[in-house]
């Protein structure tokens, strides 16, 4: 059965008049009558009772009418959903990010994306840079938010934010009581760094600051991720060097302080495969570009709609 004949049948079934149905379909009545007769012959049943002056649906016709309505409703819904997904307004977007990105601007960026595309399902996960790179190459994720960035010519990238580094200290550390802390004052302290592997990594950025300030940490406590590092700081194992945005979230047992000395800062960069031009991905990058210029959600809305 083709959809054209089913459409003709539904028009006649709703109008119960071949002339009105033909006008509705913008066609002549005789061809419409022939199409309905051909449909009845294909199915092998009478769909209309033509024995009276006004035609009526047979019981078989009533059954087909109900199913035909459902078929066209489902087809319309399928086409609407297909167009929506094709335009990036629905579907799924898999976003992975380094643990420290859960503080600062990334949650607001994701909230902004949700406000513009509420029907896109977001799958969120935390991974370190090495895991982000592997997962993006393997197409296990669509978006990778790395610190500071991933080195791969096959990735498109957009800088989201740059920020200073600060100290995360145990709240009972004598350093926390000092009015100013020079990075050189940290010689002799235990440094809690992450990730443990692979190297080089963010841990080596901190070690390079130590070297530039004229010392090598006497003791290192290496952990695999940011959350573990902050947990160790909170119980007094040592101090860590973290992005400034981390201080926006309080953690019992941890105090955050700026320091004097070399501060190369750090950044968050959004990545995707160059060959992944899914509209959901491109929409996320468009909002990221707008967002990178302002952290105010209202401004992002105005800029995005401009």
């Amino acid at each position: 059965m083709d959809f054209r004949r089913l459409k003709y049948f539904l028009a006649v079934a709703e109008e119960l008049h071949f002339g009105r149905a033909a006008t509705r379909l913008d066609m002549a009545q005789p061809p419409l009558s022939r199409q309905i007769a051909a449909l009845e012959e294909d199915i092998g049943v009478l769909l209309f009772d033509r024995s009276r002056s006004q035609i009526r649906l047979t019981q078989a016709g009533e059954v087909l009418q109900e199913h035909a309505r459902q078929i066209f409703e489902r087809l319309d819904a399928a086409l609407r959903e297909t167009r929506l997904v094709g335009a990036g307004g629905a579907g799924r977007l898999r976003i992975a990010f380094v643990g420290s990105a859960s503080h600062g601007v990334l949650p607001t960026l994701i909230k902004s994306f949700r406000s513009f595309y509420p029907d896109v399902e977001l799958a969120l996960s935390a991974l370190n840079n090495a895991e982000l790179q592997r997962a993006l190459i393997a197409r296990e994720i669509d978006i990778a938010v790395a610190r500071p960035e991933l080195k791969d010519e096959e990735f498109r990238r957009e800088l989201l934010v740059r920020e200073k580094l600060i100290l995360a200290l145990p709240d009972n550390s004598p350093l926390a009581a000092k009015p100013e802390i020079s990075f050189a004052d940290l010689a002799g302290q235990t440094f809690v760094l992450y990730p443990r592997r692979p190297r080089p990594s963010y841990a080596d950025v901190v070690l390079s600051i130590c070297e530039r300030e004229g010392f090598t940490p006497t003791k290192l406590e290496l952990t695999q991720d940011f959350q573990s590092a902050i947990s160790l700081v909170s119980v007094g194992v040592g101090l860590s060097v973290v992005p400034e945005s981390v201080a926006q979230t309080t953690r019992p047992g941890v105090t955050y302080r700026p320091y004097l000395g070399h501060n190369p800062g750090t950044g968050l960069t959004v990545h995707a495969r160059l060959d992944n031009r899914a509209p959901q991905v491109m929409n996320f990058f468009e909002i990221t570009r707008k967002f990178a210029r302002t952290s105010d959600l209202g401004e992002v809305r105005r800029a995005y709609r401009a």
Side-chain angles (χ1 to χ4, degrees), residues 117-133:
Y117 302 103
D119 294 324
V120 175
E121 176 191 353
L122 296 183
L124 306 176
S125 57
L127 302 172
N128 64 37
N129 274 7
E131 293 167 335
L132 287 173
Q133 183 143 358

mmCIF file of all heavy atoms in Angstrom, residues 117-133:
data_model
loop_
_atom_site.group_PDB
_atom_site.id
_atom_site.type_symbol
_atom_site.label_atom_id
_atom_site.label_comp_id
_atom_site.label_asym_id
_atom_site.label_seq_id
_atom_site.Cartn_x
_atom_site.Cartn_y
_atom_site.Cartn_z
ATOM 1 N N TYR A 117 19.056 24.445 23.953
ATOM 2 C CA TYR A 117 18.731 23.157 23.337
ATOM 3 C C TYR A 117 18.265 22.164 24.407
ATOM 4 O O TYR A 117 18.958 21.190 24.716
ATOM 5 C CB TYR A 117 19.948 22.605 22.583
ATOM 6 C CG TYR A 117 20.447 23.535 21.509
ATOM 7 C CD1 TYR A 117 21.590 24.315 21.713
ATOM 8 C CD2 TYR A 117 19.764 23.664 20.304
ATOM 9 C CE1 TYR A 117 22.028 25.189 20.728
ATOM 10 C CE2 TYR A 117 20.209 24.533 19.313
ATOM 11 C CZ TYR A 117 21.338 25.291 19.533
ATOM 12 O OH TYR A 117 21.772 26.157 18.559
ATOM 13 N N PRO A 118 17.099 22.399 24.991
ATOM 14 C CA PRO A 118 16.632 21.550 26.095
ATOM 15 C C PRO A 118 16.346 20.116 25.682
ATOM 16 O O PRO A 118 16.303 19.225 26.550
ATOM 17 C CB PRO A 118 15.346 22.257 26.559
ATOM 18 C CG PRO A 118 14.890 23.043 25.363
ATOM 19 C CD PRO A 118 16.145 23.479 24.669
ATOM 20 N N ASP A 119 16.152 19.853 24.386
ATOM 21 C CA ASP A 119 15.828 18.500 23.942
ATOM 22 C C ASP A 119 17.065 17.679 23.573
ATOM 23 O O ASP A 119 16.934 16.512 23.181
ATOM 24 C CB ASP A 119 14.887 18.555 22.732
ATOM 25 C CG ASP A 119 13.526 19.133 23.095
ATOM 26 O OD1 ASP A 119 13.064 18.867 24.221
ATOM 27 O OD2 ASP A 119 12.950 19.869 22.271
ATOM 28 N N VAL A 120 18.251 18.271 23.688
ATOM 29 C CA VAL A 120 19.484 17.514 23.447
ATOM 30 C C VAL A 120 19.882 16.812 24.742
ATOM 31 O O VAL A 120 20.062 17.447 25.780
ATOM 32 C CB VAL A 120 20.627 18.429 22.968
ATOM 33 C CG1 VAL A 120 21.929 17.634 22.840
ATOM 34 C CG2 VAL A 120 20.275 19.062 21.625
ATOM 35 N N GLU A 121 20.012 15.509 24.678
ATOM 36 C CA GLU A 121 20.434 14.734 25.848
ATOM 37 C C GLU A 121 21.947 14.876 26.029
ATOM 38 O O GLU A 121 22.718 14.607 25.099
ATOM 39 C CB GLU A 121 20.069 13.261 25.660
ATOM 40 C CG GLU A 121 20.555 12.357 26.779
ATOM 41 C CD GLU A 121 20.428 10.885 26.445
ATOM 42 O OE1 GLU A 121 19.832 10.561 25.394
ATOM 43 O OE2 GLU A 121 20.944 10.059 27.214
ATOM 44 N N LEU A 122 22.367 15.295 27.213
ATOM 45 C CA LEU A 122 23.788 15.460 27.501
ATOM 46 C C LEU A 122 24.277 14.299 28.355
ATOM 47 O O LEU A 122 23.695 13.990 29.394
ATOM 48 C CB LEU A 122 24.037 16.787 28.228
ATOM 49 C CG LEU A 122 23.727 18.068 27.458
ATOM 50 C CD1 LEU A 122 24.103 19.290 28.279
ATOM 51 C CD2 LEU A 122 24.441 18.088 26.114
ATOM 52 N N ALA A 123 25.352 13.664 27.903
ATOM 53 C CA ALA A 123 26.024 12.624 28.679
ATOM 54 C C ALA A 123 27.348 13.205 29.150
ATOM 55 O O ALA A 123 28.219 13.515 28.335
ATOM 56 C CB ALA A 123 26.254 11.372 27.826
ATOM 57 N N LEU A 124 27.505 13.388 30.470
ATOM 58 C CA LEU A 124 28.671 14.071 31.033
ATOM 59 C C LEU A 124 29.551 13.079 31.787
ATOM 60 O O LEU A 124 29.045 12.193 32.485
ATOM 61 C CB LEU A 124 28.221 15.184 31.987
ATOM 62 C CG LEU A 124 27.232 16.210 31.408
ATOM 63 C CD1 LEU A 124 26.801 17.198 32.484
ATOM 64 C CD2 LEU A 124 27.847 16.945 30.222
ATOM 65 N N SER A 125 30.863 13.255 31.661
ATOM 66 C CA SER A 125 31.810 12.395 32.396
ATOM 67 C C SER A 125 33.105 13.154 32.623
ATOM 68 O O SER A 125 33.426 14.094 31.896
ATOM 69 C CB SER A 125 32.083 11.099 31.622
ATOM 70 O OG SER A 125 32.578 11.371 30.324
ATOM 71 N N ALA A 126 33.848 12.739 33.655
ATOM 72 C CA ALA A 126 35.135 13.363 33.998
ATOM 73 C C ALA A 126 36.270 12.412 33.620
ATOM 74 O O ALA A 126 36.253 11.236 33.997
ATOM 75 C CB ALA A 126 35.189 13.693 35.480
ATOM 76 N N LEU A 127 37.252 12.921 32.877
ATOM 77 C CA LEU A 127 38.410 12.141 32.437
ATOM 78 C C LEU A 127 39.644 13.027 32.505
ATOM 79 O O LEU A 127 39.537 14.250 32.462
ATOM 80 C CB LEU A 127 38.237 11.660 30.986
ATOM 81 C CG LEU A 127 37.013 10.793 30.647
ATOM 82 C CD1 LEU A 127 36.937 10.590 29.136
ATOM 83 C CD2 LEU A 127 37.081 9.454 31.359
ATOM 84 N N ASN A 128 40.820 12.402 32.623
ATOM 85 C CA ASN A 128 42.033 13.212 32.539
ATOM 86 C C ASN A 128 42.382 13.453 31.070
ATOM 87 O O ASN A 128 41.740 12.913 30.162
ATOM 88 C CB ASN A 128 43.194 12.564 33.312
ATOM 89 C CG ASN A 128 43.614 11.216 32.732
ATOM 90 O OD1 ASN A 128 43.624 11.008 31.526
ATOM 91 N ND2 ASN A 128 43.970 10.282 33.609
ATOM 92 N N ASN A 129 43.397 14.277 30.822
ATOM 93 C CA ASN A 129 43.708 14.671 29.451
ATOM 94 C C ASN A 129 44.006 13.480 28.543
ATOM 95 O O ASN A 129 43.565 13.438 27.394
ATOM 96 C CB ASN A 129 44.899 15.633 29.443
ATOM 97 C CG ASN A 129 44.476 17.079 29.653
ATOM 98 O OD1 ASN A 129 43.318 17.366 29.924
ATOM 99 N ND2 ASN A 129 45.421 17.990 29.530
ATOM 100 N N ALA A 130 44.774 12.517 29.052
ATOM 101 C CA ALA A 130 45.117 11.351 28.226
ATOM 102 C C ALA A 130 43.868 10.565 27.865
ATOM 103 O O ALA A 130 43.699 10.111 26.721
ATOM 104 C CB ALA A 130 46.112 10.465 28.967
ATOM 105 N N GLU A 131 42.966 10.410 28.822
ATOM 106 C CA GLU A 131 41.713 9.694 28.566
ATOM 107 C C GLU A 131 40.827 10.475 27.609
ATOM 108 O O GLU A 131 40.142 9.889 26.757
ATOM 109 C CB GLU A 131 40.992 9.425 29.883
ATOM 110 C CG GLU A 131 41.722 8.453 30.794
ATOM 111 C CD GLU A 131 41.163 8.441 32.210
ATOM 112 O OE1 GLU A 131 40.573 9.463 32.631
ATOM 113 O OE2 GLU A 131 41.331 7.415 32.898
ATOM 114 N N LEU A 132 40.832 11.813 27.745
ATOM 115 C CA LEU A 132 40.054 12.646 26.829
ATOM 116 C C LEU A 132 40.528 12.462 25.393
ATOM 117 O O LEU A 132 39.709 12.318 24.471
ATOM 118 C CB LEU A 132 40.176 14.121 27.228
ATOM 119 C CG LEU A 132 39.435 14.588 28.475
ATOM 120 C CD1 LEU A 132 39.818 16.025 28.806
ATOM 121 C CD2 LEU A 132 37.922 14.480 28.289
ATOM 122 N N GLN A 133 41.844 12.479 25.204
ATOM 123 C CA GLN A 133 42.387 12.357 23.853
ATOM 124 C C GLN A 133 42.039 10.999 23.255
ATOM 125 O O GLN A 133 41.599 10.913 22.102
ATOM 126 C CB GLN A 133 43.904 12.551 23.874
ATOM 127 C CG GLN A 133 44.539 12.520 22.493
ATOM 128 C CD GLN A 133 45.687 13.505 22.366
ATOM 129 O OE1 GLN A 133 45.997 14.239 23.288
ATOM 130 N NE2 GLN A 133 46.316 13.543 21.204
#
